[in-house]
Amino acid sequence: MVEQAHLDDVLANSKLTFEDAVIAKIAGKTAQNIDGLLSMNGNFFSDIADRFRTDSDPTKGISVEVGEKQVAIDMTIILEYGRNARDVFERLTSAVTEAVESMTGLSVVEVNSHVSDVMTKKEWQQQGSNAKKSDNNDKRVQ
């Protein structure tokens, strides 16, 4: 067993760092649970289980700046029509901040959200269906 004094010395000389993509992934996976948020810049997700694409990239629409102790996050979102943008933004900011800080120990200094579009769920689902049909038409038989 390592002595506590020795471990304290090792920890004092050690550093924990994170790739930007790790922080973006935490933010993206957290955002998937925010009601009123339909998509992140091409990354489709919803509370409707059959609409979640398992091959989607949870980091799409998210950029981060990671320092040694702090992180800033920018997110591009599609808002569900009729939802209060301020309410969705506040829930998103709170959830992402809590997730990133609890998982990494980094302090989140800002979460900026840019609404790039607003759609009804029906419009959004139709857009997702059209994208899937297009993907299936592009596949070749092997």
Side-chain angles (χ1 to χ4, degrees), residues 3 6 21 41 50 62 74 83 85 97 99 112 123:
E3 291 181 31
H6 177 65
N41 192 30
D50 64 340
I62 303 172
D74 294 322
R83 294 301 183 117
T97 299
N112 300 307
E123 290 170 328

Side-chain angles (χ1 to χ4, degrees), residues 13-29:
N13 294 315
S14 301
K15 180 168 48 169
L16 175 64
T17 60
F18 298 91
E19 290 288 330
D20 292 359
V22 171
I23 304 303
K25 192 169 190 177
I26 293 169
K29 291 209 172 273

Side-chain angles (χ1 to χ4, degrees), residues 77-140:
I77 64 174
I78 295 178
L79 182 68
E80 182 180 353
Y81 178 80
R83 294 301 183 117
N84 181 307
R86 174 59 59 186
D87 179 56
V88 172
F89 169 71
E90 288 175 0
R91 287 186 287 114
L92 175 63
T93 300
S94 175
V96 167
T97 299
E98 184 176 332
V100 170
E101 288 184 351
S102 69
M103 291 180 72
T104 67
L106 296 171
S107 175
V108 176
V109 294
E110 65 182 30
V111 177
N112 300 307
S113 295
H114 172 74
V115 179
S116 64
D117 202 351
V118 60
M119 296 180 173
T120 64
K121 273 194 177 181
K122 185 176 181 179
E123 290 170 328
W124 176 76
Q125 289 170 337
Q126 189 173 25
Q127 181 184 29
S129 294
N130 291 341
K132 279 187 178 180
K133 286 178 186 174
S134 176
D135 287 347
N136 288 337
N137 290 338
D138 291 343
K139 293 180 182 175
R140 294 182 177 207

Side-chain angles (χ1 to χ4, degrees), residues 24-25 28-29 31-32 38-46 48-62 124 128 131-132 135:
K25 192 169 190 177
K29 291 209 172 273
Q32 292 174 347
L38 295 178
S39 172
M40 300 283 299
N41 192 30
N43 176 19
F44 294 99
F45 55 82
S46 172
I48 303 169
D50 64 340
R51 288 288 303 133
F52 185 77
R53 294 177 52 178
T54 57
D55 61 340
S56 66
D57 179 1
T59 66
K60 278 192 173 183
I62 303 172
W124 176 76
K132 279 187 178 180
D135 287 347

